[in-house]
Amino acid sequence: MSDGPDNPSRGCGAVPRFSIIVPAYQVQAQLPACLTSVLTQDFRDVELIVVDDASPDACGEIAAEFAAADPRVTALRLDRNAGPGPARNAGLDRATGDYLLFLDGDDTLTPGALAAVAARLRAAGEPELLVFGHARVSWRGEAAPGDPPGTLSARSPAVTSLAGRADLLRLPPVAWARAYRRDLVARLGLRFPAGHYQDVPFAYPALAGAGSIAVLDRICLHHRERRRGGRARSAGDGHLDVLRQYELAFALLPTDRWRAALYRRMVVHLTAVHRGPGLPAADRAAFLRGCRELCARHRAAAGATAIGGRPGAALPRPRLRARRVYRLLATGRRLALRAHGTLDAGVRAVVARARAIALRAHYLIQLRRPLDPGLAVFTTHDQRYGCHPAAIEAKLRELTSGIATAWVAGPEHPLPQGVRRLLPDTAEHWAALARARYLVGNTAFPTALAARPGQLRLQTHRGTPLAHRGLDTADPELGPLLREIDRWDHSLSANRHTTLAWGTAYPADYTILEYGSPRADLFHTAHAEEVPRARARLGVPEGVRAVLYAPAPRGYRHTPLDTAQLAHELGPGFVLLTQDEHPDVPPERLCLAADALVTDYSPVLFDYAGLDRPIVVHAPDWEAYRAVHGAYLDLPELAPGPVTRTLPELAAALTGDWLWSHPRSAELRAEFRRRFCPYDDGFAAERVVRAFFLGGRLVPPV
């Protein structure tokens, strides 16, 4: 047995103190934090075994990257998705440590946890099982103790068996939050079964079969509860697995002494499952029938006669199934309340309310008509034809004639030929929203929009995020935001950084399309003559360097860059371009014409990098911006070029030779592209169109 975090007596191939096994399936947003929480512990004598359960996201790549960076990490991949039980078993087969610990892919160890566990094991004389404290962390980040109060408090004797600490059976039957001596698991022949609730036939037999048990009253693990998608919280017939798992747990008990106690714990658990929201109404009869049969087989051990609870306590409440009628009634009530405004509000207010009522009624009528499979509606935050939706819309018209496109825009915004205009808040607009098969936008869809079966929504966002978004912001409007993201079917991502950010900012069950930046396709497909044409349109003389300045908005007061002074400092050899001076020119065309980009925190930074042209990050207020808006990365550390804080520094960077010709300048841009532009090859929009509109046929590889 080992005796310290960095035992100098151990040579190559020595047995590690802890084997930590992490199954990973669709937790790419949380997996890096999980693995980092293990590898940054001050106790380093561990082996970390990450098992990619054939996850369709980037879990396997993340595990491989950690394994390449740290020899303590082993990355395994299953050929097919088998569930957390078989994934843990694959890790068990490779484990060599004295003690085994299990983490879910979205769990994290608290700082100093492993050192505390190791110290407690030494003090307790190497018990077969150590139970330590954990906290359950909600998807909103709120933590609460996961164990009943006092369960893990120290008692005499400090080390005992389950006979001396029967109250440990009150703990949830979980495999994590415990350290198992490896020879205990081998002696009892413990394995994790497939299916849901796979911890039950592992945790209870381990408790009953351990000859020595110690406790540690310290929160060593944070167990993250998913908002949606967690196996124990989600709807589906997987809840029937709990019956099979308890049957297996009874079979694995090393002695009949604990059958009565296990029966009582089973009754509590089954009652909770039956009363919980996850059990579908269609499965309740089968679940109750299975409960009766299971209890009948094991009831005699406890002298019990029923599942427990007062009669009828868990019966489902009647539900109104006429959802359309309910929506109409609720809408009528809301409209009636609005109509109770005072008469002195003016004629215009009365007309506006009447118009809103009529539009809402029109929309509800349109909902009764079938979806139009050949209609796609596009929108952006400013109604302009641009950003990702414009690139996707253009590619859709190029690849197929079977889907007509419509764009929500006012008359002041020009649209390409062949694109139908939908004037906002008109009867035609609401009819299209009701009947279109496809909705695509980079902004929130109208809150009044119904979640119509068969209608697909693609949220493209507005680029790679630097500042916090969604639930990661300081004060999100929780209700509307959750209703919005729950209705997304697909979400666009340009890179893994973005995918991981969306996982925490917008936790829902949509499909991520990590395909690159459609609006940056132009930078990879433009013909040679398009650059001088764009420069000529903007009035850039030949032989003059054009510098695009694209700042990000702030949520606080700040002193903006004096562009007139900068132009003066740069001199006649430069022309400064801004979106304000060219409001009718799409940002992509400005980028195409520019020889260099100056920005601070704008998402255009990540797209422009694909052009491999000089970039200067002007960040005079980085600390303030990060404090107010939050940040997903340390931009000054990862910048693709010089970072300046004053106007003279910026002017010197633009006029000096280093930015334009030094090899290190090119290396910084290349490193930035590898990280944030891995899929930008001119085919991002086509990948999105084929995946979202054309059923995933012939999606171009990267």
Side-chain angles (χ1 to χ4, degrees), residues 393-463:
E393 190 278 335
K395 185 59 65 173
L396 177 62
R397 283 187 288 116
E398 176 187 324
L399 293 179
T400 180
S401 59
I403 301 177
T405 61
W407 194 279
V408 181
E412 69 276 14
H413 299 303
L415 296 177
Q417 185 176 1
V419 181
R420 171 184 165 196
R421 183 186 303 273
L422 295 175
L423 294 175
D425 217 23
T426 60
E428 184 184 26
H429 174 213
W430 282 101
L433 291 178
R435 300 198 57 210
R437 163 75 167 166
Y438 308 99
L439 301 178
V440 181
N442 69 358
T443 186
F445 297 98
T447 56
L449 215 58
R452 187 170 187 183
Q455 192 172 62
L456 299 177
R457 301 190 190 189
L458 168 61
Q459 174 57 248
T460 69
H461 308 279
R462 303 180 202 174

Side-chain angles (χ1 to χ4, degrees), residues 203-225:
Y204 283 131
L207 269 175
S212 54
I213 301 175
V215 297
L216 174 60
D217 193 7
R218 181 192 191 276
I219 292 179
C220 296
L221 180 144
H222 283 167
H223 178 70
R224 183 176 179 271
E225 295 182 334

Side-chain angles (χ1 to χ4, degrees), residues 443-505:
T443 186
F445 297 98
T447 56
L449 215 58
R452 187 170 187 183
Q455 192 172 62
L456 299 177
R457 301 190 190 189
L458 168 61
Q459 174 57 248
T460 69
H461 308 279
R462 303 180 202 174
T464 296
L466 171 62
H468 284 173
R469 307 283 183 86
L471 294 180
D472 291 335
T473 56
D475 188 23
E477 295 185 26
L478 200 59
L481 177 61
L482 295 182
R483 287 192 294 272
E484 167 72 10
I485 65 178
D486 282 344
R487 295 178 180 180
W488 295 350
D489 296 286
H490 294 77
S491 176
L492 179 64
S493 169
N495 46 58
R496 186 189 300 169
H497 160 81
T498 301
T499 298
L500 299 183
W502 292 165
T504 59

